[in-house]
């Protein structure tokens, strides 16, 4: 067997792997025939085999005892990555968890192809952390170390929107200016390109730390968390007047990467005390149930489903919270979804405008906006891009696989 390069799109929400076969990307069905898999792991309570992707989600939703973890990419560059925590009977760091996920992807790819992959070409966002060069560099170093620990001797990185541009279909006529808009789970990345000889030439790239998990957080805080006591009040132990319910726990519970760490004895004691003093004891009792039964991820999945439903043609979704209390649900309409996400519109448009400015391209000269990444399907994204570039044609690329396809194409130049 010879060393081959494995293209890996390690995403905040979803990941994919591919190789180049006869000059074309071949996406590896790493998990049960699917070309992508959720970036998630599940450690069973009985110390059984770790599961990844959809299998991890099934273990969680089936009620199996264990620890589910998702959105691990978001902690790269953060000291939290290297803090050892007790996870189902063993102390592990999140760095070790990411390494285990990448190892599983490599081993699955090798089993399917019969090849050994000592080299990886990985996508990376323009910025893991917006306008923080030190943390950005640390995040790439962290990810590089995880790849090395996962058995790759060499790893190279390519910016994700540049990879997506390589794979974009229908780039248009020679000389056309295009804007790649790649909205992933954790970051939003932009590249301006000019079509030359049927291929894109990158003129400028830029990105910000904002993505689908932030959208989920906003919907959760505005729709689900009020039913758990968020925004409520507590009676004072002594004296008159009321105090606001602390926000920190709700913010953690609405953040995919932090959910596993809210189930502590200290947090449960804090909520029991808040329940005693709450003016809305029923809502606080629901919060206690979430912690006691460890339903944070179930709630996060329900929020994601409600967001997607409200973003669809019908404009109506529902956050089902029946596991917390029978019949409990939070409706999500197109209008309430827009209100929840309103504050994210300006940063998206500003980042795209800044990319155009970096490229020296006026918005009216953009002929095509190519949407990439699962979260680009949120209707506010094409709305904002169309408002910025009113003369551009909106084109949908392969939302979930454009980056890994582009990485596979680029691997020919690196191998």
């Amino acid at each position: 067997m010879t060393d081959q390069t494995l293209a890996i799109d390690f995403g905040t929400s979803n990941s994919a792997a591919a190789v180049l076969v006869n000059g074309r990307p071949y996406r590896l069905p790493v998990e049960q025939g699917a070309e992508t898999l959720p970036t998630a792991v599940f450690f069973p309570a009985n110390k059984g085999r770790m599961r990844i992707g959809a299998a991890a989600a099934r273990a969680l939703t089936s009620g199996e005892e264990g620890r589910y973890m998702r959105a691990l990419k978001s902690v790269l560059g953060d000291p939290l990555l290297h803090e050892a925590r007790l996870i189902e009977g063993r102390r592990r760091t999140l760095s070790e968890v990411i390494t285990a996920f990448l190892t599983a992807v490599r081993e699955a790819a090798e089993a399917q192809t019969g090849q050994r992959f000592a080299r990886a070409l990985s996508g990376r966002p323009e910025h893991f952390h917006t306008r923080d060069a030190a943390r950005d560099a640390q995040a790439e170093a962290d990810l590089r170390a995880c790849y090395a620990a996962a058995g790759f001797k060499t790893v190279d990185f390519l910016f994700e929107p540049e990879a997506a541009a390589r794979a974009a279909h229908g780039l248009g006529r020679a000389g056309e200016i295009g804007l790649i808009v790649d909205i992933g789970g954790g970051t939003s990345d932009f590249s301006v390109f000019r079509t030359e000889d049927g291929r894109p030439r990158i003129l400028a790239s830029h990105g910000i730390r904002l993505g689908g998990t932030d959208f989920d957080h906003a919907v959760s805080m505005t729709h689900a968390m009020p039913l758990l006591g968020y925004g409520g009040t507590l009676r004072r132990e002594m004296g008159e007047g009321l105090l606001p319910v602390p926000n920190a726990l709700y913010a953690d519970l609405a953040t995919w990467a932090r959910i596993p760490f809210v189930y502590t004895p200290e947090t449960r004691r804090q909520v029991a005390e808040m329940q005693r003093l709450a003016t809305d004891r029923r809502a606080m009792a629901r919060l206690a149930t979430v912690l006691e039964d460890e339903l944070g991820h179930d709630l996060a999945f329900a929020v994601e489903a409600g967001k997607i439903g409200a973003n669809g043609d019908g404009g109506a979704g529902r956050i089902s919270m029946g596991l917390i209390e029978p019949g409990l649900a939070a409706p999500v309409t197109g209008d309430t979804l827009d209100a929840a996400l309103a504050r994210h519109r300006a940063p998206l448009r500003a980042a795209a405008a800044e990319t155009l400015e970096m490229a020296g391209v006026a918005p009216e000269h953009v002929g095509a906006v190519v949407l990439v990444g699962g979260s680009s399907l949120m209707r506010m994204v094409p709305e904002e891009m169309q408002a910025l570039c009113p003369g551009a044609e909106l084109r949908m690329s392969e939302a979930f696989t454009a980056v890994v396809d582009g990485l596979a194409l680029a691997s020919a130049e690196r191998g």
Side-chain angles (χ1 to χ4, degrees):
M1 292 185 294
T2 59
D3 287 355
Q4 299 291 325
T5 298
L6 182 63
I8 299 181
D9 176 18
F10 175 63
T12 301
S13 298
N14 295 282
S15 293
V19 292
L20 199 63
V21 178
N22 297 325
R24 298 174 63 88
Y26 173 70
R27 303 166 197 151
L28 296 171
V30 175
E31 183 182 46
Q32 296 184 340
E35 295 181 338
T36 65
L37 72 161
T39 309
V41 299
F42 183 85
F43 294 98
N46 62 8
K47 300 182 182 179
R49 180 179 57 86
M50 179 194 79
R51 272 157 275 177
I52 68 171
R58 284 195 299 272
L60 171 74
T61 55
S62 69
E64 183 175 345
E65 293 292 325
R67 180 65 62 87
Y68 178 84
M69 308 178 82
R70 188 181 176 190
L72 298 166
K73 184 178 179 180
S74 62
V75 296
L76 292 168
D78 192 309
L80 177 67
L81 184 74
H82 302 291
E83 293 180 7
R85 295 174 180 269
L86 190 64
I87 301 175
E88 300 308 323
R90 176 184 160 189
R91 295 191 69 80
R92 313 171 197 259
T93 65
L94 296 183
S95 176
E96 291 172 334
V97 175
I98 292 174
T99 294
F101 179 87
L102 293 173
T103 300
V105 171
R106 177 182 59 77
E107 290 176 346
E110 290 178 342
Q112 289 181 33
T113 62
Q115 298 176 341
R116 183 166 66 91
F117 294 108
R119 297 195 299 266
L121 178 58
S122 174
R124 61 147 291 175
E126 288 291 330
H127 298 291
F128 290 95
H129 299 276
T130 310
R131 307 192 193 286
D132 190 332
R135 289 185 72 192
D136 202 54
Q138 184 60 54
E140 182 177 301
D142 288 338
L143 185 53
R144 185 181 298 278
C146 289
Y147 273 107
F152 292 97
K153 294 179 181 177
T154 305
V155 59
D156 293 316
F157 291 99
L158 181 65
F159 290 121
E160 289 160 0
E162 294 187 25
R166 289 171 179 261
H169 297 291
L171 290 176
R173 64 186 183 278
E176 182 179 65
I177 300 292
L179 172 65
I180 295 283
V181 180
D182 180 6
I183 315 295
T187 58
S188 295
D189 295 305
F190 308 85
S191 282
V192 180
F193 67 88
R194 177 184 288 111
T195 301
E196 297 180 357
D197 298 324
R199 299 184 60 185
R201 182 170 75 85
I202 302 299
L203 304 180
S205 294
H206 179 48
I208 56 175
R209 187 180 172 90
L210 175 66
T213 55
D214 300 289
F215 305 160
D216 290 347
H217 183 277
V219 174
S220 184
M221 294 296 284
T222 54
H223 291 74
M225 293 304 160
L227 295 178
L228 306 183
Y230 173 66
T233 54
L234 305 173
R235 296 185 299 275
R236 293 179 182 271
E237 285 275 22
M238 300 181 66
E240 298 180 355
L242 299 174
L243 297 171
V245 171
N247 295 338
L249 175 57
Y250 296 98
D252 285 347
L253 197 57
T255 303
W256 279 101
R258 294 189 176 275
I259 293 172
F261 307 119
V262 302
Y263 307 126
T264 66
E266 179 183 353
T267 301
R268 290 186 173 101
R269 285 194 297 269
Q270 176 191 1
V271 171
E273 183 66 10
M274 289 196 299
Q275 187 177 354
R276 184 176 67 85
L277 298 172
T279 54
D280 187 347
R281 297 192 65 183
R282 184 176 181 182
M284 201 60 66
R286 295 170 186 149
L287 178 61
T289 297
V290 171
L291 296 181
E292 184 62 31
D293 296 343
E294 299 192 358
L295 299 176
H297 282 109
D298 297 273
L299 177 58
F301 277 118
V303 168
E304 186 176 47
K307 176 194 72 175
I308 293 170
N311 188 64
D313 291 338
R318 182 174 182 271
I319 301 173
S320 177
M321 302 169 67
L323 288 176
I324 301 170
E325 179 182 292
L328 184 67
V332 188
T333 68
D335 288 343
T336 64
L337 178 65
D338 285 344
L341 301 181
R343 68 187 181 90
H344 295 314
R345 285 178 174 265
L348 287 173
R349 190 196 292 199
E354 185 172 350
T355 313
L356 292 171
E357 184 177 350
M358 291 166 61
V361 172
E364 57 268 24
H365 292 157
V366 176
V369 172
V370 182
L371 301 176
V372 178
S375 293
S376 70
L377 302 177
M378 298 301 296
R379 63 170 175 262
M380 71 170 178
V381 177
E383 287 175 356
E384 288 301 315
M385 296 306 107
Q386 195 76 80
L388 176 65
C389 306
E393 176 189 350
L394 286 176
R395 299 174 188 164
M396 288 298 303
S397 186
E398 296 286 345
F400 295 98
T401 58
V403 170
V404 79
D405 287 351
L407 290 169
L409 290 168
S411 69
E413 303 169 9
R414 313 269 176 138

